[in-house]
Amino acid sequence: ADALAEAAAVNVTAVVHVGCDLAAARQAVAWARENPQVHAAVSLHPTEAAVLAASGADALPAALDTIADLARDPAVVAVGETGLDHYWTPDPEGRAAQEISFRAHIRMARRLGKTLVIHDRDAHSDVIRVLEDEGPPPRVVFHCFSGDAAMARHCVRSGWFVSLAGPLTFRNAEPLRQAAAAAVEEGGLSRVLVETDAPYLTPHPHRGRANAPALLPLTVRMLAEVAGRPLEEVCDATRDATHRAFALT
């Protein structure tokens, strides 16, 4: 309640809360049911998929079935974050399990008409390969986008959303700012979102403390600077893009 009140004080009036293991997904749905400011996304994070697959032959399929059941809830606006993480999962078996899970989530989102939220860490080409091989659902969000300018252009041309978090403000993140500028150049602000990944990826100058929705304006201001657009325009555009990305009314 405090986090939502602090967010509302800086005009962050709604959040998409992500649950990416079974317990967190159940909690996300419960919170979204209780509070109209909260929308839920549910999934198995790629690293969670690898852990489940290693724990027994039936664990991952059973967990995916549970996520599919939760995703049917009207409070759930997205399936995700799902995808591939080559940073935390270097072993071939774990990566294979991640791809199985990713494909299942893509089909789930398409079947249920939900937005797909993608986690991509050090796996850009493989994420694009799997997504295009399966056939993406109508709405796709690249969470905490970390690709280069060419990938940003490809995402926008494909009709996907590029979501930018606190790293956009980091002093050593010039390649990410170039990617953000490329996304804006390719499609205006129509395919660009902002997010926190709270409690992680806290924007400058607060790196080192827990992130929260109330800090989102720091990322928005940097996006306005990168895009060369007035701040008010960027606020309105990212709000509108978020509504379209998650089919919010």
Side-chain angles (χ1 to χ4, degrees), residues 157-196:
R157 285 196 298 267
S158 299
W160 307 331
F161 292 87
V162 171
S163 187
L164 301 163
L168 189 70
T169 70
F170 294 175
R171 290 171 179 168
N172 63 348
E174 187 56 32
L176 181 58
R177 286 187 282 274
Q178 292 172 1
V184 174
E185 183 178 313
E186 189 69 37
L189 289 163
S190 65
R191 295 287 164 180
V192 179
L193 310 181
V194 287
E195 64 171 295
T196 62

Short mmCIF file of all heavy atoms in Angstrom, two decimals, residues 157-196:
data_model
loop_
_atom_site.label_atom_id
_atom_site.label_comp_id
_atom_site.label_asym_id
_atom_site.label_seq_id
_atom_site.Cartn_x
_atom_site.Cartn_y
_atom_site.Cartn_z
N ARG A 157 9.91 -2.79 -35.74
CA ARG A 157 9.37 -3.16 -37.05
C ARG A 157 8.44 -4.37 -36.96
O ARG A 157 7.51 -4.50 -37.77
CB ARG A 157 10.52 -3.45 -38.03
CG ARG A 157 11.24 -2.22 -38.54
CD ARG A 157 12.07 -2.54 -39.78
NE ARG A 157 13.11 -3.52 -39.48
CZ ARG A 157 14.35 -3.22 -39.13
NH1 ARG A 157 14.72 -1.95 -39.01
NH2 ARG A 157 15.23 -4.16 -38.88
N SER A 158 8.70 -5.25 -35.99
CA SER A 158 7.88 -6.45 -35.81
C SER A 158 6.60 -6.16 -35.04
O SER A 158 5.77 -7.05 -34.87
CB SER A 158 8.69 -7.52 -35.07
OG SER A 158 9.84 -7.90 -35.82
N GLY A 159 6.46 -4.93 -34.55
CA GLY A 159 5.27 -4.56 -33.80
C GLY A 159 5.36 -4.88 -32.32
O GLY A 159 4.35 -4.88 -31.62
N TRP A 160 6.57 -5.17 -31.84
CA TRP A 160 6.77 -5.49 -30.43
C TRP A 160 7.13 -4.25 -29.65
O TRP A 160 7.56 -3.23 -30.22
CB TRP A 160 7.87 -6.55 -30.29
CG TRP A 160 7.64 -7.77 -31.12
CD1 TRP A 160 6.43 -8.29 -31.51
CD2 TRP A 160 8.64 -8.62 -31.70
NE1 TRP A 160 6.62 -9.41 -32.28
CE2 TRP A 160 7.96 -9.64 -32.43
CE3 TRP A 160 10.04 -8.63 -31.68
CZ2 TRP A 160 8.63 -10.65 -33.10
CZ3 TRP A 160 10.71 -9.63 -32.36
CH2 TRP A 160 10.01 -10.63 -33.06
N PHE A 161 6.98 -4.32 -28.34
CA PHE A 161 7.26 -3.19 -27.47
C PHE A 161 8.64 -3.35 -26.81
O PHE A 161 8.99 -4.44 -26.34
CB PHE A 161 6.19 -3.07 -26.39
CG PHE A 161 4.84 -2.67 -26.91
CD1 PHE A 161 3.95 -3.64 -27.36
CD2 PHE A 161 4.46 -1.34 -26.96
CE1 PHE A 161 2.70 -3.29 -27.85
CE2 PHE A 161 3.21 -0.97 -27.45
CZ PHE A 161 2.33 -1.95 -27.90
N VAL A 162 9.38 -2.27 -26.77
CA VAL A 162 10.69 -2.22 -26.13
C VAL A 162 10.50 -1.52 -24.79
O VAL A 162 10.12 -0.34 -24.74
CB VAL A 162 11.69 -1.44 -27.00
CG1 VAL A 162 13.00 -1.20 -26.26
CG2 VAL A 162 11.94 -2.19 -28.31
N SER A 163 10.75 -2.24 -23.70
CA SER A 163 10.52 -1.69 -22.36
C SER A 163 11.85 -1.37 -21.69
O SER A 163 12.72 -2.23 -21.55
CB SER A 163 9.73 -2.70 -21.51
OG SER A 163 9.36 -2.12 -20.28
N LEU A 164 12.00 -0.12 -21.28
CA LEU A 164 13.27 0.40 -20.76
C LEU A 164 13.19 0.60 -19.25
O LEU A 164 12.22 1.19 -18.74
CB LEU A 164 13.61 1.71 -21.45
CG LEU A 164 13.73 1.60 -22.97
CD1 LEU A 164 13.65 2.97 -23.61
CD2 LEU A 164 15.03 0.89 -23.36
N ALA A 165 14.23 0.15 -18.56
CA ALA A 165 14.27 0.24 -17.10
C ALA A 165 15.42 1.15 -16.66
O ALA A 165 16.02 1.87 -17.46
CB ALA A 165 14.41 -1.16 -16.51
N GLY A 166 15.73 1.10 -15.36
CA GLY A 166 16.72 1.97 -14.76
C GLY A 166 18.07 2.02 -15.45
O GLY A 166 18.71 3.08 -15.44
N PRO A 167 18.57 0.92 -16.04
CA PRO A 167 19.87 1.00 -16.72
C PRO A 167 19.97 2.09 -17.78
O PRO A 167 21.07 2.52 -18.12
CB PRO A 167 20.03 -0.40 -17.32
CG PRO A 167 19.31 -1.28 -16.36
CD PRO A 167 18.10 -0.47 -15.95
N LEU A 168 18.83 2.55 -18.32
CA LEU A 168 18.88 3.65 -19.28
C LEU A 168 19.58 4.87 -18.69
O LEU A 168 20.19 5.66 -19.42
CB LEU A 168 17.45 4.01 -19.70
CG LEU A 168 17.32 5.00 -20.86
CD1 LEU A 168 17.75 4.35 -22.18
CD2 LEU A 168 15.88 5.51 -20.98
N THR A 169 19.54 5.00 -17.35
CA THR A 169 20.12 6.18 -16.69
C THR A 169 21.57 5.96 -16.25
O THR A 169 22.20 6.92 -15.78
CB THR A 169 19.31 6.53 -15.43
OG1 THR A 169 19.51 5.52 -14.42
CG2 THR A 169 17.82 6.66 -15.74
N PHE A 170 22.08 4.74 -16.38
CA PHE A 170 23.43 4.46 -15.87
C PHE A 170 24.47 5.18 -16.73
O PHE A 170 24.34 5.27 -17.95
CB PHE A 170 23.71 2.96 -15.89
CG PHE A 170 22.87 2.14 -14.95
CD1 PHE A 170 22.97 0.75 -14.95
CD2 PHE A 170 21.97 2.73 -14.07
CE1 PHE A 170 22.20 -0.03 -14.08
CE2 PHE A 170 21.20 1.95 -13.20
CZ PHE A 170 21.31 0.57 -13.22
N ARG A 171 25.52 5.64 -16.09
CA ARG A 171 26.53 6.41 -16.80
C ARG A 171 27.24 5.59 -17.88
O ARG A 171 27.69 6.14 -18.89
CB ARG A 171 27.56 6.94 -15.79
CG ARG A 171 26.98 8.03 -14.89
CD ARG A 171 27.92 8.38 -13.76
NE ARG A 171 27.36 9.44 -12.91
CZ ARG A 171 27.86 9.78 -11.73
NH1 ARG A 171 28.91 9.15 -11.25
NH2 ARG A 171 27.29 10.75 -11.03
N ASN A 172 27.35 4.27 -17.67
CA ASN A 172 28.07 3.42 -18.62
C ASN A 172 27.14 2.76 -19.64
O ASN A 172 27.52 1.79 -20.29
CB ASN A 172 28.86 2.34 -17.88
CG ASN A 172 27.96 1.39 -17.10
OD1 ASN A 172 26.77 1.67 -16.93
ND2 ASN A 172 28.52 0.30 -16.61
N ALA A 173 25.92 3.27 -19.78
CA ALA A 173 24.91 2.59 -20.61
C ALA A 173 24.65 3.31 -21.93
O ALA A 173 23.53 3.29 -22.44
CB ALA A 173 23.61 2.46 -19.82
N GLU A 174 25.68 3.90 -22.52
CA GLU A 174 25.48 4.61 -23.78
C GLU A 174 24.94 3.69 -24.88
O GLU A 174 24.07 4.12 -25.66
CB GLU A 174 26.78 5.27 -24.23
CG GLU A 174 26.62 6.18 -25.43
CD GLU A 174 25.58 7.27 -25.21
OE1 GLU A 174 25.41 7.73 -24.07
OE2 GLU A 174 24.92 7.66 -26.21
N PRO A 175 25.40 2.42 -25.00
CA PRO A 175 24.80 1.56 -26.02
C PRO A 175 23.29 1.36 -25.84
O PRO A 175 22.56 1.29 -26.84
CB PRO A 175 25.56 0.23 -25.85
CG PRO A 175 26.89 0.64 -25.27
CD PRO A 175 26.57 1.77 -24.35
N LEU A 176 22.83 1.29 -24.59
CA LEU A 176 21.39 1.15 -24.37
C LEU A 176 20.66 2.43 -24.76
O LEU A 176 19.57 2.38 -25.34
CB LEU A 176 21.11 0.80 -22.90
CG LEU A 176 19.64 0.61 -22.53
CD1 LEU A 176 19.00 -0.49 -23.37
CD2 LEU A 176 19.50 0.28 -21.04
N ARG A 177 21.24 3.57 -24.47
CA ARG A 177 20.62 4.83 -24.89
C ARG A 177 20.57 4.92 -26.42
O ARG A 177 19.59 5.43 -26.99
CB ARG A 177 21.37 6.01 -24.27
CG ARG A 177 21.08 6.16 -22.78
CD ARG A 177 21.67 7.43 -22.20
NE ARG A 177 23.10 7.32 -21.96
CZ ARG A 177 23.64 6.80 -20.85
NH1 ARG A 177 22.87 6.34 -19.88
NH2 ARG A 177 24.96 6.75 -20.71
N GLN A 178 21.59 4.41 -27.08
CA GLN A 178 21.56 4.38 -28.55
C GLN A 178 20.44 3.46 -29.06
O GLN A 178 19.77 3.77 -30.04
CB GLN A 178 22.91 3.93 -29.08
CG GLN A 178 24.03 4.93 -28.84
CD GLN A 178 25.41 4.39 -29.20
OE1 GLN A 178 25.54 3.25 -29.65
NE2 GLN A 178 26.43 5.20 -29.00
N ALA A 179 20.24 2.34 -28.35
CA ALA A 179 19.16 1.43 -28.74
C ALA A 179 17.80 2.09 -28.53
O ALA A 179 16.89 1.96 -29.36
CB ALA A 179 19.25 0.14 -27.92
N ALA A 180 17.66 2.81 -27.41
CA ALA A 180 16.40 3.52 -27.15
C ALA A 180 16.15 4.57 -28.23
O ALA A 180 15.02 4.70 -28.73
CB ALA A 180 16.44 4.15 -25.77
N ALA A 181 17.19 5.30 -28.59
CA ALA A 181 17.04 6.31 -29.65
C ALA A 181 16.65 5.66 -30.97
O ALA A 181 15.83 6.21 -31.72
CB ALA A 181 18.35 7.09 -29.80
N ALA A 182 17.21 4.49 -31.26
CA ALA A 182 16.87 3.78 -32.49
C ALA A 182 15.41 3.34 -32.49
O ALA A 182 14.72 3.43 -33.52
CB ALA A 182 17.78 2.56 -32.67
N ALA A 183 14.92 2.88 -31.33
CA ALA A 183 13.51 2.48 -31.23
C ALA A 183 12.60 3.66 -31.50
O ALA A 183 11.59 3.54 -32.21
CB ALA A 183 13.24 1.88 -29.85
N VAL A 184 12.94 4.81 -30.94
CA VAL A 184 12.13 6.01 -31.14
C VAL A 184 12.21 6.46 -32.59
O VAL A 184 11.20 6.84 -33.21
CB VAL A 184 12.59 7.14 -30.19
CG1 VAL A 184 11.85 8.43 -30.50
CG2 VAL A 184 12.36 6.73 -28.73
N GLU A 185 13.39 6.39 -33.17
CA GLU A 185 13.55 6.79 -34.58
C GLU A 185 12.75 5.88 -35.50
O GLU A 185 12.18 6.33 -36.50
CB GLU A 185 15.04 6.75 -34.95
CG GLU A 185 15.34 7.22 -36.35
CD GLU A 185 16.83 7.20 -36.66
OE1 GLU A 185 17.61 7.69 -35.81
OE2 GLU A 185 17.21 6.68 -37.72
N GLU A 186 12.69 4.60 -35.15
CA GLU A 186 12.01 3.62 -36.00
C GLU A 186 10.50 3.76 -35.92
O GLU A 186 9.80 3.63 -36.93
CB GLU A 186 12.42 2.21 -35.60
CG GLU A 186 11.95 1.11 -36.53
CD GLU A 186 12.63 1.16 -37.88
OE1 GLU A 186 13.84 1.47 -37.94
OE2 GLU A 186 11.95 0.87 -38.89
N GLY A 187 9.97 4.01 -34.71
CA GLY A 187 8.52 3.99 -34.55
C GLY A 187 7.97 5.09 -33.68
O GLY A 187 6.85 4.95 -33.16
N GLY A 188 8.71 6.17 -33.52
CA GLY A 188 8.26 7.19 -32.59
C GLY A 188 8.27 6.62 -31.18
O GLY A 188 9.07 5.74 -30.85
N LEU A 189 7.37 7.09 -30.35
CA LEU A 189 7.26 6.58 -28.98
C LEU A 189 6.16 5.52 -28.86
O LEU A 189 5.84 5.09 -27.76
CB LEU A 189 6.99 7.73 -28.01
CG LEU A 189 8.17 8.68 -27.80
CD1 LEU A 189 7.70 9.99 -27.18
CD2 LEU A 189 9.24 8.04 -26.92
N SER A 190 5.63 5.09 -29.99
CA SER A 190 4.46 4.20 -29.96
C SER A 190 4.77 2.81 -29.45
O SER A 190 3.86 2.09 -29.04
CB SER A 190 3.84 4.10 -31.36
OG SER A 190 4.75 3.48 -32.27
N ARG A 191 6.05 2.40 -29.50
CA ARG A 191 6.43 1.04 -29.10
C ARG A 191 7.41 1.05 -27.94
O ARG A 191 8.11 0.05 -27.73
CB ARG A 191 7.03 0.30 -30.29
CG ARG A 191 6.04 0.07 -31.42
CD ARG A 191 5.03 -1.00 -31.08
NE ARG A 191 3.87 -0.98 -31.96
CZ ARG A 191 2.85 -1.82 -31.87
NH1 ARG A 191 2.85 -2.74 -30.94
NH2 ARG A 191 1.83 -1.74 -32.69
N VAL A 192 7.47 2.14 -27.20
CA VAL A 192 8.43 2.26 -26.11
C VAL A 192 7.70 2.34 -24.77
O VAL A 192 6.79 3.17 -24.60
CB VAL A 192 9.33 3.50 -26.30
CG1 VAL A 192 10.32 3.63 -25.15
CG2 VAL A 192 10.07 3.41 -27.64
N LEU A 193 8.11 1.49 -23.84
CA LEU A 193 7.56 1.48 -22.48
C LEU A 193 8.66 1.80 -21.49
O LEU A 193 9.86 1.75 -21.81
CB LEU A 193 6.98 0.10 -22.14
CG LEU A 193 6.02 -0.55 -23.13
CD1 LEU A 193 5.56 -1.90 -22.58
CD2 LEU A 193 4.84 0.34 -23.42
N VAL A 194 8.27 2.12 -20.26
CA VAL A 194 9.22 2.28 -19.16
C VAL A 194 8.78 1.40 -18.01
O VAL A 194 7.59 1.13 -17.83
CB VAL A 194 9.31 3.75 -18.70
CG1 VAL A 194 10.08 4.58 -19.71
CG2 VAL A 194 7.94 4.34 -18.46
N GLU A 195 9.75 0.93 -17.22
CA GLU A 195 9.45 0.03 -16.12
C GLU A 195 10.53 0.15 -15.05
O GLU A 195 11.54 0.83 -15.24
CB GLU A 195 9.36 -1.41 -16.61
CG GLU A 195 10.68 -1.94 -17.17
CD GLU A 195 10.63 -3.44 -17.46
OE1 GLU A 195 10.50 -4.21 -16.49
OE2 GLU A 195 10.74 -3.82 -18.64
N THR A 196 10.30 -0.56 -13.94
CA THR A 196 11.28 -0.51 -12.85
C THR A 196 12.07 -1.80 -12.69
O THR A 196 13.23 -1.77 -12.34
CB THR A 196 10.59 -0.24 -11.50
OG1 THR A 196 9.68 -1.31 -11.23
CG2 THR A 196 9.87 1.08 -11.51
#
